[in-house]
Each structure stands twice: as C-alpha cells, then as structure tokens.
Amino acid sequence: MSETDATEPAVPTPHESATRGRTVWAEIDLAALEANVRTLRERASGAEFMAVVKADAYGHGLLPVARAALRAGATWLGVAQLPEAVALRDAGIGARLLTWLSVPGTDFAAAVARDIDLSASAPWVLDEIAAAARSLGRTARVHLKVDTGLGRGGAYGRDWTTLVRHARPLEAEGAVQVVGIWTHFAHADSPEHPTVLAQQERFFEAVAEAEQAGCRPEVRHLANSAATLVHPSAHADLVRPGIAMYGLTPVPQLDDDFGLRPVMTLRARLALVKGLPAGQGVSYGHAYVPATDTVVGLVPAGYADGVPRDATNVGPLLVDGRRTTIAGRVCMDQFVVDLGAGSGASAGDVVTLFGGAPGEPTAQDWADATGTISYEIVTRLGARVPRLHLGAPDADAKAGA
C-alpha cells in the first residue's frame, strides 16, 4: 500500500463466501453512511435532522439504512410513500416519521394508528386524514405543504390561505394537529439561483400567515441535501438530507465532495472470457466492432438490474486492473467489456461498475456518461441485485439486507 492509499478511509469488503457464485451485487457501507450523517449534522447543528430513506433508501435498503442513520444522530425519518412508513414502524422503529404522497382512498388510518406524520397539500387530504383520525379516536399529526415556487406539490398562492383556513376547525375539533409546515426548493442545487432566496422569503411569509391563523407548528422545514450543504439560512427547525446522506453530491458542479463518502459500490463477476477477431461485432446490432484481435468478457448484469441501456459503449468500469467502458449494447441481463488483447482476466474476476474507492468509477461518472443524475443511477438498481450491508449489527442484517 502506498502512502497515498494509506490515508484513504478503510472501505469494508464482504467475505469471499458472501459473493461467491453471485452474478452482481451492491455493497452498502453503513459506516460511510453514518459518517455522512454526522458530517451533515455538523453543517446544520442547530436543526433537527430528517434522514430521507424513500425509495428503499435510494436503493440502499430501507431498514438497515434507517437504523444506521438513527445511530448516527438522525432524529426523524422521511419517506414518500405510506407503505415504506408502515414498514419502518412495523419493524419497531419509533423515531418521528413523515410520509408525504397520497391519493384519494389512501389508508390514512394505518398511518394515524402508527403515529406516522402525514403531509397535506389540499383540503381533501385534510378531510380524509381527519376522518381516519375520528374513526380511531385519535389526533393525526399533519404537516401542511406550501408551494413556494417549485410548481409541484403543495398549496400554491391563494390555495395556501384556503388550506390553512380548512385546517383550523379540524384542529379545534381535535381531529388533526398541524405539527409542521414545509416546502421544497426548485434550484437549491444552483447556489446562486435567485429562486432560492425568493422561495425562502415566500416560505416564511406562509409560516407567518399560518401562525397568525392560530397554527403552532413544531417544525418548519425546507432544506434538502443541497440546501443543507450550501444554504445555512434555509436550515430552519429541521433539515431533510437525501442524496448527500448516501455520499453523492447534490451540487456536482462545485468541486467539493463536502467530506462525504459514497455508500454504494456495485460489482459483478465475469461469466465468460474469450477471444474475438478484428471486425467481429459485439452484441445486438454490432454497436461495437473491435479494430484488432481482442479478448472480451461477459458481465451478467443488464438493464433489468438497473444498468442503464444508455450506457451502451460509454458505461465506465474497473476490470482487470484498468478503467474501461462497456463494449456494445447493454442487454436485459448482460453486457460485454473489451478487455484488450493482452488481458489475463478469467471467469469469476470482479468487475466494479461504480463505488468510491480510489480508481473506481463513481455513480456521478455513470450519470455524466449517460446524461442523467447520480440519484437515478443508485435508485434504479433492480430487486434481483442483492444488497450486502457491511458494518451492520446482526439485527440490521437480518431485518433488511
């Protein structure tokens, strides 16, 4: 190991027995995740911390990640969809928990019974939540969402006044309690964008309106990962980091990793190594044709596993000790890599698609190569890709690996 290598943080690796015979797998470094949470908490030390674990914790595994985040000091958890909130509660996780997407007919009673906080952007949501609370003889905890300029979820313009006025009688009745007011940024990943300040101003105006109407929220929150890192004025009472918690920067245009460590490493094993002559096209459509005699390797992972089909001929890899790219089309279950005429690779050798160790491609490299964002690269991994949680206590490993 060189002196440079010696200064790198240790990256845990699974035992050979854990990956033997596996075609493709994702290693989830929970120690890195905990370190990221601590780093982000330091950035917003005056606010509570909601670990956003939606979409199976951005593809990293809901329960192990949620527990790791709480061990590192997160005080809340956040998910988009109710079933994930229910899964967290039913696994014995008692932290404050918010879920925010719903449609008419959502089983709000399941949430209220489990003390799960709910978001409301329209009067009908409040009405259905209140009906569920009445049926249980309980008070539902609600966060009112205001659209301050994203143009997506939340009550916009005069609809905010209507939403607040609708909530107050339900609070007086005891069916709901407005415990939070929140919003979401449109351009927090562009630090100098004028909408950032404009949305903050609109948000605090909306909070003031709600408070003047009689609402007494426990938390006001608007800071996502980018705002947590680069907009201290937006920290308010609670920050909601998502992608940054997983070690991926929400502002890749800045030459700063903020001290974050990538949590996911995606690997596979070569299933076949063979020689091909110059001019022999590779895979569907012969999108890649070697100019000289070469050696190719077959990697048993494809778009059904989450490898973007757009990675054809550009997806970065580390294999046989060198950086290279996918050769030819990404297929449903496999792709090919040109190992070069002098390659000594053999079936069973490990191929790293992305990770965070020196020399490895990153999820951001994949995003740049395929014209997307790192969020999509990690969240798109298919269910048949096993997640191997490294550094997890036994209880975590059993619950969610």
Side-chain angles (χ1 to χ4, degrees), residues 279-290 309 312-313 327-331:
Q280 171 57 57
V282 173
S283 193
Y284 291 136
H286 288 177
Y288 177 81
V289 180
R309 193 168 183 270
T312 292
N313 285 335
R329 293 267 174 83
V330 175
C331 308

Side-chain angles (χ1 to χ4, degrees), residues 120-123 144-149 152-164 182-183 202 206:
S121 296
L144 301 182
K145 186 172 187 183
V146 54
D147 181 354
T148 57
R152 197 176 67 177
Y156 186 85
R158 294 181 180 178
D159 289 344
W160 174 247
T161 300
T162 300
L163 183 65
V164 170
W182 71 301
T183 194
R202 173 66 187 113

Side-chain angles (χ1 to χ4, degrees), residues 11 24 92 101 103 121 128 132 134 141 159 175 215 227 259 282 285-286 294 301 304 321 342:
V11 178
V24 59
L101 287 180
V103 296
S121 296
E128 292 201 14
R134 291 188 199 104
R141 291 172 53 91
D159 289 344
C215 295
V282 173
H286 288 177
T294 194

Side-chain angles (χ1 to χ4, degrees), residues 19-150:
T19 63
R20 183 175 177 81
R22 293 190 187 273
T23 54
V24 59
W25 67 93
E27 299 166 10
I28 310 300
D29 181 357
L30 293 177
L33 186 130
E34 291 184 38
N36 293 338
V37 170
R38 289 190 291 269
T39 296
L40 290 161
R41 285 181 61 215
E42 290 173 2
R43 288 272 183 161
S45 57
E48 293 194 56
F49 188 104
M50 178 186 290
V52 178
V53 293
K54 64 181 180 176
D56 195 31
Y58 287 53
H60 292 65
L62 179 66
L63 295 178
V65 166
R67 291 192 172 107
L70 293 170
R71 285 197 301 271
T75 51
W76 288 66
L77 298 173
V79 293
Q81 305 262 356
L82 178 57
E84 288 192 311
V86 170
L88 288 164
R89 275 289 186 262
D90 290 355
I93 292 175
R96 286 260 61 96
L97 172 58
L98 172 66
T99 182
W100 52 81
L101 287 180
S102 58
V103 296
T106 292
D107 185 7
F108 290 117
V112 176
R114 291 169 172 82
D115 197 28
I116 294 169
D117 289 23
L118 294 159
S119 176
S121 296
W124 72 260
V125 186
L126 286 172
D127 288 339
E128 292 201 14
I129 293 172
R134 291 188 199 104
S135 72
L136 296 169
R138 300 184 63 169
T139 299
R141 291 172 53 91
V142 174
H143 297 234
L144 301 182
K145 186 172 187 183
V146 54
D147 181 354
T148 57
L150 177 60

Side-chain angles (χ1 to χ4, degrees), residues 13 67 75 100 113 131 134 143 146 151 200-201 230 237 240-241 275-276 282 304 326 332 342 367 372 398:
T13 56
R67 291 192 172 107
T75 51
W100 52 81
R134 291 188 199 104
H143 297 234
V146 54
Q200 286 187 57
E201 292 175 349
V230 300
D237 302 312
R240 307 188 307 262
L276 286 182
V282 173
I326 291 172
M332 185 180 293
T372 185
K398 292 177 182 177

Side-chain angles (χ1 to χ4, degrees), residues 367-389:
D368 293 342
T370 58
T372 185
I373 55 176
S374 61
Y375 304 56
E376 183 180 359
I377 297 300
V378 293
T379 59
R380 68 181 295 149
L381 290 194
R384 71 181 184 182
V385 178
R387 276 65 162 177
L388 306 182
H389 293 94

Side-chain angles (χ1 to χ4, degrees), residues 265-330:
T265 300
L266 183 62
R267 305 194 200 275
R269 290 189 184 276
L270 293 174
L272 176 69
V273 175
K274 65 183 182 183
L276 286 182
Q280 171 57 57
V282 173
S283 193
Y284 291 136
H286 288 177
Y288 177 81
V289 180
T292 61
D293 294 353
T294 194
V295 174
V296 299
L298 183 67
V299 181
Y303 56 77
D305 303 292
V307 180
R309 193 168 183 270
D310 285 347
T312 292
N313 285 335
V314 296
L317 307 167
L318 178 65
V319 57
D320 196 23
R322 68 185 182 93
R323 287 281 295 265
T324 185
T325 59
I326 291 172
R329 293 267 174 83
V330 175

